[in-house]
Amino acid sequence: LYQSYIGGAIALVLMVAIMDLISGEKILTTILRCLKCAGVVVAGSLLNILIYTKSMEYYGINATDRVQNFTFSTIISELPKSVKESYLYFFNYFKDDMLNRNYLYAILGILFIIGLAGALFCFIKNSDGSEKKLAIVKSVAIIILIAIAPLAMNIIHILIPYYRVSGLMQYHYVLILPFTIALLRKCGIHYYFIQPVMTVVVVLLTFTYVISANATNLSLKASYLANETQVNLILSDIYDLEGYIPNATDIVFGGVPSEAASQYGLEIYEFEIGLNSKNQAFWEGMSGVTLSRMHYLLNYCGIDAGYLTDDDYYDIVGTEEFEEMPVWPEAGSVKMINGKAAVKLSYDYPKREEE
């Protein structure tokens, strides 16, 4: 949730600034408060980086590629695309049709527009003579802040454009709910009339998230049960290999197993969480076939499958012998290659990019 926390913190800074301006706070005071809040976010982030850097040095852990590749030139070159995607991610989140959730968000959007328009109208109307022009300037500033809110919420996506982490930056979008309520309370419409509608929307949205979260939990549970069965069967084949020594011979997994058999007969929602490739045990790509597998076998099975570098992995899957192997569980899908136990789980496995 760390990516979501940073975006959420910055979004809260903007929301507080907007409420300050509508409440008649001075512009300079609002700016100083924003800088103070932003300073806390930056200071917290720097402290977090310092602690993790020292911890990694102490334990001898290397940073991942997405951290090592952080450069300002990449941020600038990818900025147009990152800005566009930030708005797409934000608005697509509210178009989610899971359990007809999008209709509730449509009602919420209407209430948000009513609240914003009403709050700004009352703010300008209640301003006296010379204060009216300043109220108009503040109103324009408020509209600009709201317009850039999706960028603030997706700040990590802008800072790390080469590694898409949009899925981890959506939790704080729900801040739109209390913000809408705050705006409605500021407008001239009688709040007791809108409050029941807002309450119903919040209750129904909460209900849909409880249902979908439970379905997600069932999906994760099914994935772990399926993985446990598959891993035990794969290990049985590995133990039968001549030359394999438990906790001494490295194990190389090529790809992830097919999900078709695991999904058969499961009456659960079809979320993005796959039974093998997109859950908390095994990720996709190199992390899934090397680190995730190694940690799973070590933590859940008590087996040391060996730490593989990318070159170690590519040296095995790049051999002609591995390429000609069938996919597990067919005969010949588990072999000893160059002193390592190789398991081919799919034909679509990470391969070394041609230079």
Side-chain angles (χ1 to χ4, degrees):
L1 299 178
Y2 64 97
Q3 292 102 331
S4 183
Y5 163 75
I6 295 175
I10 296 177
L12 280 174
V13 172
L14 293 182
M15 292 178 183
V16 170
I18 291 171
M19 298 311 299
D20 281 349
L21 292 175
I22 292 180
S23 300
E25 193 67 71
K26 293 181 179 179
I27 295 179
L28 180 59
T29 303
T30 301
I31 293 176
L32 291 177
R33 287 188 63 183
C34 286
L35 292 176
K36 181 180 178 180
C37 294
V40 173
V41 174
V42 173
S45 301
L46 292 176
L47 180 61
N48 181 66
I49 292 173
L50 177 62
I51 293 175
Y52 272 99
T53 300
K54 294 302 180 182
S55 299
M56 291 170 65
E57 291 178 358
Y58 179 80
Y59 291 104
I61 301 174
N62 296 323
T64 59
D65 290 340
R66 64 173 175 176
V67 177
Q68 293 175 340
N69 294 335
F70 178 85
T71 60
F72 289 104
S73 60
T74 305
I75 297 174
I76 299 301
S77 62
E78 294 288 331
L79 188 59
K81 183 178 180 181
S82 300
V83 169
K84 178 181 178 181
E85 290 176 342
S86 295
Y87 283 102
L88 288 176
Y89 292 151
F90 179 79
F91 289 107
N92 285 339
Y93 176 83
F94 298 104
K95 293 168 62 177
D96 180 16
D97 60 356
M98 179 65 64
L99 301 174
N100 294 323
R101 188 181 293 156
N102 51 326
Y103 294 109
L104 295 173
Y105 278 129
I107 297 174
L108 176 64
I110 294 173
L111 292 176
F112 177 80
I113 294 174
I114 292 175
L116 177 61
L120 293 179
F121 175 78
C122 293
F123 176 52
I124 296 175
K125 181 181 178 182
N126 295 332
S127 299
D128 297 327
S130 60
E131 296 291 329
K132 193 173 292 291
K133 290 184 178 180
L134 182 59
I136 295 175
V137 172
K138 288 183 177 180
S139 298
V140 173
I142 289 171
I143 294 174
I144 293 175
L145 290 176
I146 291 177
I148 65 175
L151 298 180
M153 290 185 171
N154 290 280
I155 187 65
I156 297 299
H157 180 69
I158 295 175
L159 295 177
I160 312 178
Y162 45 82
Y163 190 89
R164 306 307 176 194
V165 289
S166 59
L168 298 175
M169 297 187 296
Q170 297 180 348
Y171 308 107
H172 53 285
Y173 288 175
V174 294
L175 289 173
I176 196 70
L177 290 172
F179 186 50
T180 299
I181 294 175
L183 287 174
L184 289 171
R185 286 177 174 173
K186 284 291 182 181
C187 70
I189 303 175
H190 293 296
Y191 185 67
Y192 65 82
F193 174 75
I194 297 180
Q195 186 174 14
V197 178
M198 193 67 189
T199 301
V200 171
V201 171
V202 172
V203 170
L204 290 178
L205 277 174
T206 303
F207 175 75
T208 65
Y209 278 107
V210 170
I211 295 298
S212 59
N214 183 61
T216 302
N217 177 62
L218 293 176
S219 178
L220 287 172
K221 180 180 179 180
S223 70
Y224 272 87
L225 291 175
N227 281 321
E228 181 181 6
T229 302
Q230 291 173 340
V231 167
N232 288 332
L233 293 173
I234 292 171
L235 288 176
S236 297
D237 293 338
I238 293 176
Y239 287 154
D240 291 337
L241 291 175
E242 183 178 351
Y244 173 76
I245 302 175
N247 298 322
T249 304
D250 293 340
I251 304 175
V252 180
F253 294 93
V256 294
S258 170
E259 299 178 356
S262 302
Q263 290 177 332
Y264 180 75
L266 293 178
E267 297 179 355
I268 58 178
Y269 285 100
E270 295 181 359
F271 289 110
E272 291 184 357
I273 299 177
L275 295 182
N276 295 304
S277 58
K278 294 182 180 178
N279 59 51
Q280 297 175 355
F282 307 130
W283 294 351
E284 291 182 308
M286 286 299 294
S287 295
V289 298
T290 54
L291 295 178
S292 294
R293 290 278 169 178
M294 179 193 71
H295 289 301
Y296 181 85
L297 291 174
L298 187 62
N299 297 330
Y300 288 85
C301 306
I303 297 173
D304 185 2
Y307 175 79
L308 298 176
T309 64
D310 290 357
D311 289 334
D312 293 334
Y313 168 83
Y314 289 133
D315 289 343
I316 298 300
V317 301
T319 62
E320 183 177 349
E321 186 175 3
F322 186 88
E323 293 178 358
E324 294 178 352
M325 288 169 57
V327 171
W328 186 85
E330 295 183 27
S333 58
V334 180
K335 286 185 177 182
M336 291 292 296
I337 300 179
N338 298 337
K340 291 181 173 59
V343 185
K344 192 170 186 177
L345 298 177
S346 72
Y347 292 110
D348 183 21
Y349 53 88
K351 302 177 179 65
R352 192 194 302 270
E353 296 182 1
E354 297 182 1
E355 297 181 358

XYZ file of all heavy atoms in Angstrom, residues 218-268:
386
model
N -11.879 -15.801 -1.823
C -12.123 -17.163 -2.290
C -11.196 -17.518 -3.447
O -10.707 -18.640 -3.555
C -13.591 -17.320 -2.726
C -14.638 -17.234 -1.619
C -16.036 -17.311 -2.217
C -14.433 -18.356 -0.604
N -10.952 -16.519 -4.316
C -10.062 -16.744 -5.447
C -8.637 -17.020 -4.968
O -7.957 -17.921 -5.462
C -10.077 -15.531 -6.382
O -9.191 -15.705 -7.462
N -8.176 -16.233 -3.988
C -6.836 -16.446 -3.439
C -6.733 -17.796 -2.735
O -5.733 -18.505 -2.860
C -6.486 -15.325 -2.463
C -6.177 -13.958 -3.084
C -6.048 -12.903 -2.003
C -4.899 -14.019 -3.913
N -7.779 -18.151 -1.998
C -7.772 -19.435 -1.299
C -7.699 -20.581 -2.304
O -6.920 -21.533 -2.121
C -9.040 -19.569 -0.446
C -9.122 -20.879 0.323
C -10.393 -20.945 1.156
C -10.474 -22.275 1.903
N -11.721 -22.346 2.736
N -8.493 -20.477 -3.375
C -8.470 -21.519 -4.404
C -7.110 -21.597 -5.072
O -6.620 -22.685 -5.399
C -9.562 -21.238 -5.443
N -6.478 -20.435 -5.271
C -5.177 -20.421 -5.939
C -4.110 -21.099 -5.096
O -3.282 -21.851 -5.598
C -4.763 -18.978 -6.264
O -4.445 -18.268 -5.082
N -4.149 -20.862 -3.794
C -3.145 -21.474 -2.924
C -3.352 -22.982 -2.805
O -2.393 -23.757 -2.758
C -3.171 -20.823 -1.546
C -2.285 -19.612 -1.467
C -2.758 -18.354 -1.836
C -0.972 -19.713 -1.057
C -1.942 -17.236 -1.779
C -0.145 -18.601 -0.996
C -0.639 -17.365 -1.354
O 0.177 -16.260 -1.317
N -4.613 -23.408 -2.748
C -4.884 -24.839 -2.703
C -4.427 -25.514 -3.994
O -3.841 -26.613 -3.970
C -6.376 -25.081 -2.474
C -6.918 -24.692 -1.097
C -8.436 -24.868 -1.054
C -6.256 -25.523 -0.009
N -4.702 -24.844 -5.133
C -4.277 -25.403 -6.419
C -2.756 -25.442 -6.515
O -2.172 -26.430 -6.984
C -4.863 -24.575 -7.561
N -2.117 -24.377 -6.061
C -0.651 -24.331 -6.103
C -0.027 -25.390 -5.207
O 0.984 -25.988 -5.553
C -0.162 -22.943 -5.676
C -0.276 -21.924 -6.791
O -0.018 -22.231 -7.939
N -0.684 -20.722 -6.451
N -0.629 -25.613 -4.049
C -0.101 -26.622 -3.131
C -0.123 -28.000 -3.783
O 0.859 -28.757 -3.704
C -0.925 -26.640 -1.843
C -0.436 -27.648 -0.819
C -1.290 -27.661 0.430
O -2.329 -26.973 0.445
O -0.914 -28.373 1.387
N -1.246 -28.317 -4.441
C -1.346 -29.608 -5.120
C -0.344 -29.711 -6.262
O 0.353 -30.730 -6.424
C -2.778 -29.813 -5.668
O -3.708 -29.737 -4.593
C -2.899 -31.156 -6.365
N -0.251 -28.662 -7.076
C 0.667 -28.682 -8.218
C 2.120 -28.800 -7.773
O 2.897 -29.569 -8.342
C 0.466 -27.425 -9.055
C -0.854 -27.379 -9.795
C -1.094 -26.037 -10.475
O -0.486 -25.021 -10.111
N -1.991 -26.020 -11.447
N 2.490 -28.019 -6.734
C 3.876 -28.034 -6.268
C 4.255 -29.416 -5.736
O 5.356 -29.916 -6.008
C 4.091 -26.957 -5.183
C 5.426 -27.170 -4.473
C 4.058 -25.573 -5.810
N 3.359 -30.047 -4.990
C 3.656 -31.382 -4.474
C 3.863 -32.390 -5.600
O 4.752 -33.247 -5.522
C 2.534 -31.851 -3.547
C 2.524 -31.124 -2.218
O 3.570 -30.668 -1.760
N 1.357 -30.996 -1.611
N 3.050 -32.293 -6.648
C 3.198 -33.202 -7.789
C 4.501 -32.931 -8.535
O 5.198 -33.855 -8.954
C 2.002 -33.054 -8.730
C 0.649 -33.527 -8.183
C -0.479 -33.164 -9.143
C 0.681 -35.042 -7.956
N 4.829 -31.638 -8.689
C 6.072 -31.276 -9.380
C 7.276 -31.752 -8.582
O 8.247 -32.297 -9.132
C 6.137 -29.752 -9.606
C 5.077 -29.315 -10.617
C 7.520 -29.340 -10.116
C 4.941 -27.804 -10.736
N 7.247 -31.567 -7.262
C 8.358 -32.004 -6.422
C 8.544 -33.517 -6.478
O 9.675 -34.020 -6.418
C 8.127 -31.561 -4.975
C 8.285 -30.063 -4.697
C 7.927 -29.759 -3.249
C 9.703 -29.605 -5.001
N 7.437 -34.237 -6.601
C 7.548 -35.702 -6.729
C 8.345 -36.074 -7.969
O 9.189 -36.987 -7.938
C 6.150 -36.333 -6.787
O 5.440 -36.100 -5.596
N 8.093 -35.351 -9.074
C 8.846 -35.606 -10.312
C 10.304 -35.197 -10.156
O 11.204 -35.864 -10.678
C 8.214 -34.846 -11.478
C 6.836 -35.373 -11.839
O 6.546 -36.547 -11.502
O 6.048 -34.625 -12.444
N 10.546 -34.089 -9.440
C 11.926 -33.629 -9.245
C 12.722 -34.617 -8.400
O 13.883 -34.918 -8.684
C 11.931 -32.231 -8.593
C 11.350 -31.182 -9.557
C 13.352 -31.824 -8.185
C 11.234 -29.792 -8.968
N 12.087 -35.159 -7.352
C 12.779 -36.111 -6.472
C 13.182 -37.385 -7.209
O 14.132 -38.069 -6.802
C 11.895 -36.478 -5.281
C 11.759 -35.370 -4.261
C 10.638 -35.288 -3.437
C 12.743 -34.400 -4.119
C 10.504 -34.270 -2.504
C 12.617 -33.381 -3.188
C 11.504 -33.327 -2.390
O 11.376 -32.310 -1.477
N 12.445 -37.701 -8.280
C 12.744 -38.909 -9.046
C 13.910 -38.727 -10.015
O 14.361 -39.694 -10.634
C 11.506 -39.368 -9.826
C 10.397 -39.886 -8.914
O 10.725 -40.304 -7.783
O 9.229 -39.856 -9.322
N 14.383 -37.479 -10.162
C 15.474 -37.219 -11.095
C 16.789 -37.788 -10.565
O 17.133 -37.624 -9.393
C 15.641 -35.708 -11.327
C 14.538 -34.989 -12.107
C 14.822 -33.483 -12.114
C 14.452 -35.509 -13.532
N 17.517 -38.423 -11.443
C 18.832 -38.945 -11.080
C 19.818 -37.773 -10.996
O 19.963 -37.012 -11.938
C 19.305 -39.957 -12.118
C 20.639 -40.604 -11.767
C 21.058 -41.638 -12.790
O 20.237 -41.969 -13.674
O 22.206 -42.111 -12.717
N 20.467 -37.638 -9.858
C 21.419 -36.552 -9.671
C 20.876 -35.387 -8.879
O 21.634 -34.488 -8.520
N 19.567 -35.404 -8.588
C 18.994 -34.315 -7.795
C 19.275 -34.545 -6.319
O 19.029 -35.631 -5.785
C 17.488 -34.192 -8.016
C 16.842 -33.184 -7.083
C 16.969 -31.826 -7.299
C 16.135 -33.628 -5.956
C 16.407 -30.905 -6.433
C 15.565 -32.707 -5.083
C 15.712 -31.348 -5.325
O 15.152 -30.446 -4.455
N 19.772 -33.502 -5.652
C 20.053 -33.570 -4.219
C 19.205 -32.511 -3.526
O 19.374 -31.306 -3.781
C 21.545 -33.295 -3.925
C 22.423 -34.306 -4.683
C 21.812 -33.364 -2.428
C 23.897 -34.034 -4.533
N 18.272 -32.913 -2.652
C 17.412 -31.949 -1.965
C 18.215 -30.899 -1.210
O 19.221 -31.195 -0.574
C 16.601 -32.833 -1.003
C 16.600 -34.185 -1.633
C 17.951 -34.309 -2.300
N 17.776 -29.640 -1.331
C 18.385 -28.493 -0.646
C 19.809 -28.202 -1.099
O 20.517 -27.424 -0.449
C 18.366 -28.686 0.869
C 16.963 -28.782 1.423
O 16.059 -28.080 0.972
N 16.759 -29.674 2.383
N 20.229 -28.831 -2.187
C 21.567 -28.582 -2.732
C 21.511 -28.267 -4.214
O 22.259 -27.417 -4.707
C 22.485 -29.782 -2.487
N 20.593 -28.941 -4.923
C 20.447 -28.715 -6.360
C 19.457 -27.579 -6.620
O 18.347 -27.582 -6.073
C 19.945 -29.993 -7.067
O 20.831 -31.069 -6.787
C 19.860 -29.773 -8.570
N 19.855 -26.617 -7.431
C 18.957 -25.519 -7.783
C 17.829 -26.008 -8.672
O 18.008 -26.924 -9.487
C 19.726 -24.413 -8.514
C 20.740 -23.722 -7.612
O 20.594 -23.825 -6.388
O 21.666 -23.082 -8.155
N 16.657 -25.385 -8.519
C 15.489 -25.729 -9.333
C 15.113 -24.532 -10.192
O 14.973 -23.413 -9.689
C 14.290 -26.130 -8.451
C 14.670 -27.285 -7.525
C 13.095 -26.525 -9.321
C 13.569 -27.662 -6.547
N 14.951 -24.771 -11.491
C 14.592 -23.715 -12.442
C 13.191 -23.985 -12.971
O 12.945 -25.062 -13.529
C 15.591 -23.640 -13.604
C 15.188 -22.533 -14.580
C 17.003 -23.414 -13.089
N 12.295 -23.024 -12.796
C 10.934 -23.145 -13.309
C 10.777 -22.261 -14.526
O 11.051 -21.054 -14.466
C 9.915 -22.732 -12.246
C 9.872 -23.633 -11.046
C 10.646 -23.343 -9.930
C 9.087 -24.759 -11.044
C 10.613 -24.168 -8.816
C 9.042 -25.597 -9.940
C 9.815 -25.306 -8.827
N 10.324 -22.832 -15.620
C 10.086 -22.067 -16.840
C 8.628 -21.744 -17.011
O 7.839 -22.579 -17.456
N 8.227 -20.526 -16.612
C 6.837 -20.111 -16.764
C 5.983 -20.509 -15.581
O 6.475 -20.911 -14.522
N 4.655 -20.400 -15.732
C 3.692 -20.792 -14.694
C 2.728 -21.802 -15.299
O 2.490 -21.803 -16.509
C 2.910 -19.572 -14.163
C 3.835 -18.630 -13.426
C 2.196 -18.838 -15.294
N 2.135 -22.682 -14.465
C 1.222 -23.703 -14.990
C -0.032 -23.093 -15.594
O -0.421 -21.971 -15.269
C 0.889 -24.541 -13.753
C 1.940 -24.222 -12.751
C 2.343 -22.818 -13.018
N -0.689 -23.839 -16.459
C -1.949 -23.400 -17.036
C -3.010 -23.308 -15.957
O -3.053 -24.119 -15.026
C -2.405 -24.383 -18.118
O -3.726 -24.097 -18.533
N -3.866 -22.304 -16.056
C -4.906 -22.117 -15.048
C -6.207 -22.811 -15.422
O -7.142 -22.839 -14.625
C -5.162 -20.626 -14.846
C -3.943 -19.866 -14.351
C -4.209 -18.387 -14.204
O -5.322 -17.969 -14.560
O -3.320 -17.649 -13.762
N -6.279 -23.362 -16.615
C -7.533 -23.939 -17.104
C -8.043 -25.044 -16.184
O -9.217 -25.065 -15.790
C -7.338 -24.475 -18.519
N -7.150 -25.980 -15.816
C -7.575 -27.095 -14.975
C -7.937 -26.635 -13.573
O -8.893 -27.125 -12.966
C -6.464 -28.143 -14.911
N -7.203 -25.671 -13.051
C -7.445 -25.186 -11.694
C -8.760 -24.430 -11.590
O -9.435 -24.470 -10.564
C -6.296 -24.278 -11.251
O -5.060 -24.955 -11.311
N -9.136 -23.743 -12.648
C -10.353 -22.933 -12.626
C -11.605 -23.756 -12.874
O -12.713 -23.299 -12.605
C -10.257 -21.823 -13.677
C -9.245 -20.745 -13.333
C -9.135 -19.705 -14.434
O -9.379 -20.004 -15.594
N -8.744 -18.502 -14.065
N -11.449 -24.973 -13.357
C -12.609 -25.797 -13.718
C -13.478 -26.065 -12.489
O -13.017 -26.562 -11.471
C -12.153 -27.121 -14.324
C -13.309 -28.032 -14.713
C -14.069 -27.764 -15.849
C -13.644 -29.124 -13.922
C -15.123 -28.587 -16.201
C -14.693 -29.943 -14.260
C -15.439 -29.672 -15.407
O -16.488 -30.477 -15.745
N -14.734 -25.731 -12.578
C -15.673 -26.042 -11.514
C -15.678 -25.065 -10.361
O -16.419 -25.267 -9.394
N -14.884 -24.017 -10.417
C -14.857 -23.051 -9.322
C -15.892 -21.956 -9.577
O -15.806 -21.211 -10.548
C -13.467 -22.428 -9.190
C -12.354 -23.366 -8.734
C -11.028 -22.611 -8.703
C -12.646 -23.950 -7.368
N -16.881 -21.854 -8.697
C -17.937 -20.856 -8.865
C -17.540 -19.565 -8.134
O -18.102 -19.200 -7.103
C -19.249 -21.397 -8.330
C -19.747 -22.623 -9.099
C -21.043 -23.166 -8.556
O -21.507 -22.634 -7.524
O -21.600 -24.099 -9.143
N -16.543 -18.901 -8.681
C -16.074 -17.645 -8.101
C -16.006 -16.606 -9.198
O -15.980 -16.925 -10.384
C -14.691 -17.795 -7.429
C -13.666 -18.309 -8.448
C -14.767 -18.714 -6.229
C -12.272 -18.433 -7.879
